Amino acid sequence: MRLSRSFLPTLKENPAEAQITSHRLMLRAGLIRQTSAGIYAWLPAGLRVLRNIADIVRAEQNAIGAQEMLMPTLQSSELWKRSGRYDAYGPEMLRIRDRHERDLLYGPTNEEMVTDLFGQVVKSYRELPQVLYHVQWKFRDEVRPRFGVMRGREFYMKDAYSFDADYDAAVDSYRRMMLAYLRTFQRLGVKAIPMVADTGPIGGELSHEFLVLAPTGESGVFFDGALEEQDWLSEPVDISDRTSLEKFFRRMTSFYAATDEKHDEAQWAKVPVERRREGRGIEVGHIFHFGRKYTESMDISVSGPDGAPLFPEMGSYGIGVSRLVAAIIEASHDDQGIIWPETVAPFAAVIINLKNGDAQCDEICERLYAAAPDRLLYDDRPERAGVKFADADLMGHPWQVIVGPRGAKAGIVELKNRHTGERSELDIDVALARIGAGA
Ligand code: 5CA
């Protein structure tokens, strides 16, 4: 994308309405704009980040055999009356009436709808397990939407739902999902710590939250620092084998981690002092096992091995995709701006032309840009170098390729790494290879 023609409105000043860093930086870097309270438009750069996150989430869901579908945002009230949650959900649910006086709602979550669809399709226990997911907008009429997309009213969520024949199989599904989550967050470049959690209005008895550490987080957290050092991507787990899943889960849960609601001083005391980590965290994911709560209340069964009706055991598994954009920024920024992990960055690199109109600079920049125009941002604006550097740091591109007249004569560009601040002078092709845009 050429910056001179793009819709990437950066702001020099801090917007007055933004109280936390991620909200300020998301507005200043031109990622989002508020359209009404707690509701945001995603501008081109913001949408790129949102998509990159969702794609990694999808890849790890698919890797454990979850199947993607897409359910609508509007749901019939009838579905929610069957589970008993239509009244129970309260004022957070946005209720809508259509021209035929039918009651609809904007989905805050999808347990009812997915259970109903499952019941229409799956007839026998032999077809289990099934894990279904979608990535879709949700709406919760929060009393106090705040901190930008961190606590919005409309937000983007991946929600998955598992259906199993019995409790043990449901626990396997839960553990597979736990692994998928750990791998997802690691690939996203954030440390999200799994913690035993309360189940709240979703219900159920087994639940973990995933929290990203940040001083602005809403929950107090206590955990064993060893959890931050684990490499879940190379954890040897055979996801089709119960014993292997159990071994992984035992190892993971052997490290102490709890939010202030569940904190246990006696267990905490057993964590070696030098490994104790205390702070605040942002909830970016939440997984639940709740058994037959919905299949029974909605009367959805399949035929069991003995021919009698069997009510599948369920779990539901959420990731706050739009909240993650903010959480990643909270965890990865400096005074100059955002520092995107490479896997989620809107652009792999920005090309900074220090002298627009200089034949050699222009030629080199065009050549660099042509290598991957979809993934590179070319700052071709007739601005001062200082403005370009400041915007590049603010937007947080992992790499800056700086092209000035002196280097251009020798076919050399400067490469700056946003994360480490390291600079090196390189041949054009070497620089392209370094930013992952080489031939
Ligand atoms: N049905 C279950 C799991 S699919 C569920 O809805 N879980 S949840 O309520 O915990 O939401 C899942 C994730 O969505 C949360 O962990 C959080 O990251 C995100 N989320 C929840 N509310 C908001 C909100 N108001 N703004 C932004 N993200 C939110």
Side-chain angles (χ1 to χ4, degrees):
M1 195 179 283
R2 286 173 199 273
L3 198 42
S4 64
R5 291 185 216 157
S6 69
F7 196 68
L8 300 179
T10 54
L11 304 174
K12 275 196 207 64
E13 306 298 330
N14 275 326
E17 75 267 28
Q19 295 161 17
I20 62 170
T21 305
S22 57
H23 190 194
R24 274 197 290 275
L25 288 175
M26 286 184 76
L27 291 169
R28 285 192 53 207
L31 304 181
I32 53 165
R33 280 286 189 276
Q34 181 170 302
T35 58
S36 31
I39 305 181
Y40 291 84
W42 291 77
L43 308 190
L47 181 60
R48 281 169 171 255
V49 180
L50 200 63
R51 285 216 176 111
N52 290 342
I53 295 174
D55 284 348
I56 291 175
V57 169
R58 286 191 175 98
E60 292 299 330
Q61 292 293 294
N62 298 343
I64 57 161
Q67 305 163 73
E68 184 171 11
M69 58 193 289
L70 184 58
M71 290 176 272
T73 51
L74 293 186
Q75 305 189 20
S76 149
S77 62
E78 296 307 318
L79 271 176
W80 288 67
K81 286 178 184 155
R82 278 164 63 193
S83 73
R85 280 208 295 181
Y86 189 61
D87 295 324
Y89 216 93
E92 269 201 11
M93 179 185 279
L94 181 65
R95 295 153 208 259
I96 303 162
R97 185 159 287 172
D98 72 9
R99 60 163 70 186
H100 302 294
E101 303 284 304
R102 280 183 294 242
D103 288 322
L104 301 172
L105 57 102
Y106 195 122
T109 176
N110 278 64
E111 280 80 3
E112 284 78 357
M113 186 180 278
V114 76
T115 306
D116 182 61
L117 289 166
F118 167 89
Q120 291 178 33
V121 174
V122 179
K123 298 298 173 195
S124 159
Y125 77 96
R126 287 196 196 84
E127 298 164 66
L128 301 177
Q130 291 281 338
V131 186
L132 301 170
Y133 78 96
H134 72 165
V135 190
Q136 178 62 292
W137 294 95
K138 305 289 186 292
F139 195 94
R140 295 184 187 169
D141 206 351
E142 305 268 352
V143 200
R144 246 173 269 103
R146 56 185 189 148
F147 301 159
V149 299
M150 191 73 93
R151 180 167 296 282
R153 294 200 297 164
E154 189 186 45
F155 59 98
Y156 203 41
M157 192 207 283
K158 183 284 300 181
D159 39 327
Y161 303 88
S162 62
F163 299 86
D164 283 280
D166 56 37
Y167 177 78
D168 289 344
V171 170
D172 291 344
S173 289
Y174 186 90
R175 291 173 175 169
R176 273 191 287 271
M177 198 55 85
M178 168 68 77
L179 181 68
Y181 272 45
L182 293 168
R183 290 182 168 166
T184 301
F185 294 123
Q186 191 172 329
R187 284 180 63 183
L188 292 174
V190 283
K191 293 192 192 302
I193 311 292
M195 311 207 175
V196 180
D198 272 333
T199 51
I202 308 288
E205 72 265 22
L206 179 58
S207 176
H208 283 84
E209 285 174 14
F210 294 76
L211 291 108
V212 170
L213 289 189
T216 45
E218 295 187 302
S219 321
V221 297
F222 302 82
F223 66 97
D224 184 338
L227 270 170
E228 291 185 315
E229 310 307 321
Q230 307 302 313
D231 178 6
W232 303 112
L233 291 170
S234 54
E235 182 83 0
V237 188
D238 175 356
I239 59 163
S240 59
D241 178 59
R242 180 165 295 168
T243 317
S244 177
L245 281 169
E246 187 177 350
K247 193 172 149 223
F248 144 71
F249 193 75
R250 275 186 195 286
R251 199 173 87 70
M252 201 269 322
T253 50
S254 68
F255 302 110
Y256 182 83
T259 57
D260 39 18
E261 288 168 354
K262 291 270 179 178
H263 185 50
D264 175 343
E265 283 295 339
Q267 294 299 320
W268 183 232
K270 294 182 195 160
V271 179
V273 178
E274 69 281 4
R275 289 198 342 225
R276 289 186 203 163
R277 303 280 182 280
E278 244 184 277
R280 305 204 66 77
I282 301 164
E283 181 199 312
V284 291
H286 202 157
I287 61 179
F288 306 85
H289 164 74
F290 45 73
R292 296 193 277 265
K293 178 175 156 138
Y294 295 94
T295 47
E296 279 180 353
S297 63
M298 296 176 71
D299 194 21
I300 305 283
S301 63
V302 299
S303 72
D306 52 4
L310 179 154
F311 292 90
E313 292 264 339
M314 286 179 67
S316 77
Y317 314 90
I319 292 186
V321 177
S322 49
R323 175 179 288 182
L324 262 166
V325 179
I328 291 171
I329 295 173
E330 288 294 331
S332 185
H333 67 268
D334 62 15
D335 290 346
Q336 274 61 54
I338 303 168
I339 305 175
W340 287 119
E342 295 200 19
T343 50
V344 302
F347 301 96
V350 59
I351 301 161
I352 300 178
N353 190 343
L354 291 183
K355 198 163 184 200
N356 282 49
D358 175 282
Q360 268 170 333
C361 285
D362 290 354
E363 194 264 333
I364 289 176
C365 287
E366 291 293 343
R367 221 165 98 203
L368 286 161
Y369 180 54
D374 278 351
R375 300 178 43 235
L376 298 173
L377 181 66
Y378 174 18
D379 192 346
D380 58 344
R381 297 172 301 173
E383 292 282 358
R384 286 183 295 110
V387 172
K388 295 188 179 188
F389 289 139
D391 274 347
D393 280 350
L394 172 64
M395 295 176 77
H397 316 291
W399 297 96
Q400 298 171 13
V401 189
I402 302 154
V403 181
R406 190 177 50 80
K409 278 203 185 68
I412 281 173
V413 297
E414 189 181 5
L415 192 64
K416 178 183 157 190
N417 182 293
R418 176 70 178 91
H419 181 62
T420 60
E422 233 168 273
R423 295 164 180 273
S424 40
E425 302 215 319
L426 300 169
D427 278 348
I428 296 169
D429 292 331
V430 181
L432 279 174
R434 192 73 63 80
I435 62 174

